[in-house]
């Protein structure tokens, strides 16, 4: 004969659920803003490269054939924005958290490029390092509000690996 306990696991408190919901919303808003910002930067570098480049932080910009850099920068930013917004739209928050974590490499690299090519510390830290910090915070919030069990769809089957 077994005895069943009448004690049920406690439900999360209303305050805890409210904090979780607020964190979830904050992560969503930050990710969406990050994706939209990437799209904006990509469009700006595509259609108005000279003015977009002026805000990047490196004093001397490529001219002539070297101005092809602007198209590369535009494509990188458009792709990053599309990936962020695509994963967000698909509800793949855990995957998006990993992508955002890995995407931190880009603004860190930009910061180092500005510093190593005569740009100002204000631009390097105020634009690029701050962006890296914002992307890291967004990734952290996404990790905190997602988990493998919350992902839509099936997890990858690794049995054949």
């Amino acid at each position: 004969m077994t005895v069943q306990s009448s004690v049920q696991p406690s439900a999360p408190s209303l305050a805890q659920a409210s904090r979780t919901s607020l964190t979830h919303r904050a992560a969503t808003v930050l990710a969406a803003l990050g994706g939209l910002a990437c799209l904006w930067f990509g469009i700006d570098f595509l259609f108005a490269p000279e003015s977009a480049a002026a805000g990047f932080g490196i004093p001397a910009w490529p001219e002539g054939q070297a101005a092809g850099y602007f198209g590369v920068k535009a494509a990188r930013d458009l792709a990053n924005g599309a990936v962020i917004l695509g994963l967000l739209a698909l509800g793949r928050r855990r995957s998006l958290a990993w992508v955002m974590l890995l995407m931190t490499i880009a603004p860190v690299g930009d910061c180092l490029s500005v510093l190593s090519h005569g740009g100002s510390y204000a631009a390097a830290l105020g634009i690029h390092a701050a962006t890296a910090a914002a992307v890291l915070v967004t990734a952290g919030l996404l990790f905190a509000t997602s988990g493998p069990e919350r992902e839509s769809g099936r997890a990858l089957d690794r049995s054949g690996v």
Side-chain angles (χ1 to χ4, degrees):
M1 179 194 244
T2 61
V3 178
Q4 291 183 340
S5 172
S6 63
V7 178
Q8 295 183 8
S10 63
S13 71
L14 186 57
Q16 182 181 6
S18 177
R19 278 192 307 272
T20 301
S21 177
L22 182 61
T23 304
H24 187 274
R25 272 193 220 114
T28 301
V29 167
L30 287 173
L33 288 174
L36 291 171
C38 286
L39 290 179
W40 170 254
F41 296 141
I43 290 168
D44 203 21
F45 266 92
L46 193 61
F47 293 110
E50 292 80 14
S51 64
F56 190 81
I58 296 176
W61 284 95
E63 295 178 9
Q65 292 288 48
Y69 154 81
F70 298 129
V72 172
K73 171 81 168 95
R76 178 185 89 169
D77 289 341
L78 289 169
N80 286 345
V83 168
I84 291 168
L85 295 175
L87 287 172
L88 193 59
L90 292 171
R92 305 297 299 200
R93 296 176 67 81
R94 188 69 166 191
S95 299
L96 179 56
W98 282 108
V99 166
M100 296 291 283
L101 181 65
L102 295 171
M103 281 187 177
T104 304
I105 295 167
V108 168
D110 293 346
C111 178
L112 295 174
S113 291
V114 169
L115 290 174
S116 64
H117 289 91
S120 72
Y121 281 95
L125 301 177
I127 298 169
H128 304 292
T131 298
V135 174
L136 276 176
V137 166
T138 303
L141 290 172
L142 286 163
F143 277 121
T145 59
S146 67
E149 68 281 356
R150 293 186 185 135
E151 289 283 332
S152 61
R154 273 185 28 188
L156 292 176
D157 179 13
R158 296 189 183 110
S159 60
V161 177

